[in-house]
Amino acid sequence: MIVEDADDLFDLLPDEHYMRKAVEQARQALTADEVPVGAVIVWQNRIIAAAHNQREQLSDPTAHAEVLAITQATQVIEDWRLENCTLFVTLEPCLMCAGAILQARIPRLVYGASDPKAGAVESLYQVLSDPRLNHRVEVVAGVLAHECGSLLTEFFRDKRRLGKK
């Protein structure tokens, strides 16, 4: 399990620091020929979970970075409620991942690039702020958005060039 102490961070804002860790995960996905989305979960100023998309690798449509990171974090905390955690993810979560965030009771989400085709936080849907649901999530959007979006653009441009997607 990845656990990192954040006490020595003076030159970066905390959100940017942790988003850079999520970008590192997205780069691992890119290397594995997966859609480059990365996520980390922070609890008490420590990274307790880090994951990237693994749908192709695991042949599992639910193997999104957020879901994998949530599973890791619940094992570290030994509770399904991640009430004092922040999830950092490079792409705006989809409906499935937004649902997982709600179910895990994560109070804060920080994401990089918006997803106009599948985003369920602000772009297409606003699941995390729906007043009909019993949990709300503080959302910080656009942290390192250009860098996060560039990874996705590069990935899909290469796939189209190869005639694969």
Side-chain angles (χ1 to χ4, degrees), residues 119-161:
V121 177
E122 296 177 329
S123 294
L124 289 181
Y125 306 100
Q126 295 78 42
V127 173
L128 301 183
S129 60
D130 190 321
R132 298 169 293 179
L133 300 174
N134 66 340
H135 181 67
R136 304 292 174 286
V137 178
E138 175 191 344
V139 175
V140 178
V143 175
L144 301 180
H146 180 72
E147 186 172 350
C148 296
S150 292
L151 285 171
L152 291 156
T153 300
E154 171 189 335
F155 176 80
F156 288 112
R157 181 177 42 231
D158 289 348
K159 290 295 179 187
R160 282 190 299 276
R161 199 176 357 229

Side-chain angles (χ1 to χ4, degrees), residues 54-69:
Q54 294 185 45
R55 292 188 318 169
E56 300 295 334
Q57 194 172 8
L58 299 176
S59 296
D60 180 353
T62 69
H64 288 203
E66 301 95 319
V67 172
L68 297 171

Side-chain angles (χ1 to χ4, degrees), residues 2-162:
I2 297 173
V3 178
E4 178 187 299
D5 197 354
D7 291 337
D8 60 347
L9 302 175
F10 300 109
D11 58 338
L12 291 175
L13 296 171
D15 285 353
E16 289 180 6
H17 169 74
Y18 292 120
M19 186 60 74
R20 289 194 193 289
K21 298 298 182 181
V23 168
E24 288 175 17
Q25 288 293 314
R27 289 187 193 285
Q28 287 182 33
L30 188 62
T31 300
D33 202 30
E34 296 275 358
V35 175
V37 177
V40 298
I41 295 180
V42 175
W43 177 63
Q44 297 180 349
N45 296 322
R46 293 185 338 223
I47 294 174
I48 61 167
H52 58 273
N53 277 1
Q54 294 185 45
R55 292 188 318 169
E56 300 295 334
Q57 194 172 8
L58 299 176
S59 296
D60 180 353
T62 69
H64 288 203
E66 301 95 319
V67 172
L68 297 171
I70 287 169
T71 299
Q72 288 177 20
T74 61
Q75 292 169 354
V76 170
I77 292 178
E78 298 179 338
D79 192 348
W80 62 268
R81 294 172 196 88
L82 301 177
E83 293 174 329
N84 296 306
C85 295
T86 299
L87 169 62
F88 294 83
V89 63
T90 58
L91 181 64
E92 178 182 1
C94 69
L95 275 169
M96 176 184 68
C97 293
I101 291 164
L102 289 171
Q103 291 299 314
R105 305 297 192 266
I106 295 173
R108 186 167 185 263
L109 166 70
V110 179
Y111 73 86
S114 295
D115 186 351
K117 294 184 179 180
V121 177
E122 296 177 329
S123 294
L124 289 181
Y125 306 100
Q126 295 78 42
V127 173
L128 301 183
S129 60
D130 190 321
R132 298 169 293 179
L133 300 174
N134 66 340
H135 181 67
R136 304 292 174 286
V137 178
E138 175 191 344
V139 175
V140 178
V143 175
L144 301 180
H146 180 72
E147 186 172 350
C148 296
S150 292
L151 285 171
L152 291 156
T153 300
E154 171 189 335
F155 176 80
F156 288 112
R157 181 177 42 231
D158 289 348
K159 290 295 179 187
R160 282 190 299 276
R161 199 176 357 229
L162 295 171

